[in-house]
Amino acid sequence: MVRGAPTQQRILDAAERLFFGDGIAVTGMDALAAEAGVSVVTIYHHFGSKDGVLQAVLTRRLTAWTTAWDTAIARAATPEDRLLAVFDAIETFRSANGRTQWCCFLSTVSERPSPTGADPDPVHALVRQDTAELVGRLGSLAEAADLTDPRATAATLLVIYNGVLSSLLRGEPEDPFQAARVAARLVVSAARRPG
Amino acid sequence: MVRGAPTQQRILDAAERLFFGDGIAVTGMDALAAEAGVSVVTIYHHFGSKDGVLQAVLTRRLTAWTTAWDTAIARAATPEDRLLAVFDAIETFRSANGRTQWCCFLSTVSERPSPTGADPDPVHALVRQDTAELVGRLGSLAEAADLTDPRATAATLLVIYNGVLSSLLRGEPEDPFQAARVAARLVVSAARRPG
DNA sequence: CGTCTACTGTAACGACCGTTGTGCATAACG
DNA sequence: CGTTATGCACAACGGTCGTTACAGTAGACG
């Protein structure tokens, strides 16, 4: 029998595939256990509840995604390329993680009631953290690139980024990466400081 | 008691609010009936099943959206403005239809298992029809605008369009419309035929 | 008036859900 | 060796789901 760590990992892998491929509500604990090759009891022993699995998957995804983004940023040469590194990060992350659907945060928020007033829901907090991570990084990168109106540029790039995720989620035939890169490059070029 | 047509309409309105606001799987038939102010039996009498309600909502949404888009296109003056009329259409359609989440097709596909091989699922067919409507119209509009590489331009605009929907779905604080318009205008300008 | 349509409430059905308890097997560690 | 940790199979619980049947009411139309 394999030791503890791989078991948790296998459960999370299976949850990633099923939750974001088929849907969270549609996926039962039995199906999740079968996909992970473990027992239902083991899942509860590790994560306590189905919502616990979801939170764990989202957290893992969030950290994995941010580190992938960081390496893509580090690989870029110029400040403007660093600003466009998001799209490289998605592409490599996606090819590395196989067939899992994008974006898991988008899928999650679709199945959840909108938070009413105060938000004690940790799942929504994670989604919000993902968004905050996006706008924060894009904003600071835009500022570092010395663009005119970096906030507006970051907001525009965020829309394009969301467009890539949405296109992937829809399963559109066209490849959104090239289109996104073209648009993003135009946006950055237009925001370049004259002189 | 109100006659037939308003009843169906009220059910579809309620389904639009609940399905795409809270999630399809989460919304039970009881909640749907309560929101519509009708009985559960009435829903089944009109639509046969929950999936029937979903299909009816999606079809209604599809036709409403395309007609709204058409009027926005007709209101535009130049071919390039016609190409950018999508964003006006979303904005007016959204403000007219209140708090309903965008995009319903995006939310739907998140909760559904991906079609395996052949696709006998009418819901997936509707989502695909929505996508086809988008790429077809954007493509012909780009061609009518006499741009260089109209197909690539249409693909880029589609990504930006998807980005708006995705941003709205996430409930991001920033207003995505202005950002999308800026990016789209840049894309169209860059594709303009020289001379 | 009678008939029909449209809709209502209540109750029930089978099925599946998330969750927990019990008991057992295996492997590592002292 | 015994202890502990880890995971398994089996079974069951309360609950909710989508769906349907049964019985009854208000208005439209002849």
Side-chain angles (χ1 to χ4, degrees), chain B residues 7 38-39 42 46:
Chain B
T7 302
V38 297
S39 158
T42 307
H46 277 290

Side-chain angles (χ1 to χ4, degrees), chain B residues 88-103:
Chain B
D88 305 331
I90 315 176
E91 215 165 1
T92 61
F93 188 84
R94 195 172 127 84
S95 64
N97 287 41
R99 304 259 95 245
T100 57
Q101 286 273 16
W102 272 94
C103 156

Side-chain angles (χ1 to χ4, degrees), chain A residues 97-126:
Chain A
N97 288 42
R99 304 259 93 245
T100 58
Q101 287 273 14
W102 273 94
C103 155
C104 59
F105 299 98
L106 207 56
S107 317
T108 304
V109 82
S110 302
E111 294 199 43
R112 290 249 162 184
S114 306
T116 62
D119 186 20
D121 191 344
V123 171
H124 267 112
L126 279 170

Side-chain angles (χ1 to χ4, degrees), chain A residues 7 37-39 41-42 46:
Chain A
T7 303
V38 296
S39 158
V41 207
T42 306
H46 276 291

